[in-house]
Amino acid sequence: MRVKLKQETRDLFAASFSILCDNERIGGVDVQGKLGSPESIVSVTLLTENVVLRREHKVDKKGNDAYRPYEILSNERKRGEVYQATKKKGLFKSYGYQYACLDNIEYSMFPIEFGDEGAKNPIYCDEEQIALVKKKAVITDDMHDFEIIVKNRSYLMISIIISSYIYAKAFFKPGDLMKKGTIKSSTITTEKDLLSKYDASFEKQY
C-alpha cells in the first residue's frame, strides 16, 4: 500500500497536509505552533481515527535523554510516544534514529540519505521492516512531501505519525517565514549499521 503525505499550506504558525491514496484524500495532518516555542501540536486524522502528538518530558528506557519526545494521544488518553533516540557504538560513535511506541508495540525508523535520490527511511517492528518513508532531495518553497510505502494497512497510522513528527521536529519552525526558492540536500549516509537497514527490494514488493 502506498500513500502520499502532501503538504498543502504553510504560514507562520501552522502547516497542513493531505493524506492521499490513489489521489483520493483519506485523511490529513495539521501542525500548530506558537510564538516563543520550537514545539508544535500535531493532529493526525486517518479515515475515522484521530491522534494528537504533544510535547512531553521524559528519558528513554535505557536512561538516555530522549530528544524532543512527544506523547501520542487519542481523546486525551495516552497511547504511546515518539522521539529521537541515540544508538551508541563504542565510546565515541553513535547515530540517531526515531523511536515510537503505539498501543505497546515498538517501532524504529532509521534515517538514510542517498544524495540526489533523497531520503529512504525504513521503519522496523522488531527485526521486520514494515514500511519505507521516502522524501525527495529537492524542496521547493518550503513545502515538504513524503511517500509512504507500508507492508499492510495496519502499519499506516504509525508510519504517518513518525513522518509527521519528523516534519514538526526537523522542518517546521514556528514564527519563521516560508523559505521561497529551491533547496537541495546532498547528504549521503555512510554509517554501515544504518545502510544495513535499507532493503532496495521492499518498495518493489509493495
Side-chain angles (χ1 to χ4, degrees):
M1 181 179 186
R2 294 174 178 241
V3 303
K4 289 185 178 180
L5 186 57
K6 179 177 177 57
Q7 187 165 3
E8 303 286 3
T9 66
R10 166 76 164 92
D11 60 31
L12 280 176
F13 296 105
S16 66
F17 293 77
S18 291
I19 303 169
L20 305 173
C21 181
D22 294 329
N23 293 319
E24 179 181 352
R25 193 176 193 275
I26 60 171
V29 175
D30 293 300
V31 182
Q32 184 66 53
K34 63 180 180 179
L35 184 65
S37 172
E39 309 303 342
S40 309
I41 295 176
V42 182
S43 298
V44 180
T45 300
L46 178 62
L47 297 175
T48 59
E49 187 177 4
N50 178 262
V51 300
V52 173
L53 312 184
R54 188 172 63 194
R55 183 73 159 89
E56 67 173 349
H57 298 275
K58 64 167 289 156
V59 295
D60 71 15
K61 293 180 179 179
K62 296 181 180 179
N64 299 315
D65 287 337
Y67 181 65
R68 295 179 74 176
Y70 278 55
E71 57 186 348
I72 303 169
L73 305 163
S74 287
N75 298 318
E76 292 298 319
R77 177 179 66 86
K78 184 173 179 178
R79 293 177 57 189
E81 59 204 1
V82 56
Y83 57 81
Q84 181 168 318
T86 300
K87 174 69 173 179
K88 293 183 178 179
K89 295 183 59 186
L91 191 59
F92 300 109
K93 287 188 175 183
S94 64
Y95 61 82
Y97 66 98
Q98 314 305 319
Y99 168 88
C101 181
L102 181 64
D103 299 332
N104 296 314
I105 301 175
E106 296 181 307
Y107 304 89
S108 298
M109 173 193 272
F110 299 96
I112 306 175
E113 299 274 357
F114 291 91
D116 291 347
E117 296 181 36
K120 300 180 182 182
N121 305 329
I123 300 177
Y124 279 75
C125 180
D126 293 324
E127 298 300 316
E128 178 188 12
Q129 184 176 350
I130 54 91
L132 180 69
V133 178
K134 299 173 64 177
K135 192 173 187 298
K136 292 181 179 179
V138 176
I139 304 300
T140 302
D141 293 341
D142 209 13
M143 302 291 277
H144 299 259
D145 297 339
F146 300 80
E147 181 181 3
I148 301 172
I149 305 165
V150 293
K151 194 170 184 178
N152 61 57
R153 166 69 178 79
S154 66
Y155 298 123
L156 185 53
M157 176 57 92
I158 189 60
S159 300
I160 292 170
I161 286 172
I162 298 174
S163 301
S164 302
Y165 169 76
I166 287 175
Y167 172 77
K169 176 178 68 70
F171 303 113
F172 183 64
K173 305 291 188 288
D176 283 4
L177 293 172
M178 179 186 292
K179 298 178 180 67
K180 290 291 186 179
T182 298
I183 298 174
K184 183 177 181 179
S185 172
S186 58
T187 303
I188 297 177
T189 298
T190 58
E191 168 58 54
K192 291 181 179 179
D193 281 4
L194 284 175
L195 291 172
S196 71
K197 300 292 185 181
Y198 177 68
D199 178 3
S201 69
F202 183 87
E203 61 180 301
K204 297 176 183 177
Q205 298 177 56
Y206 303 103

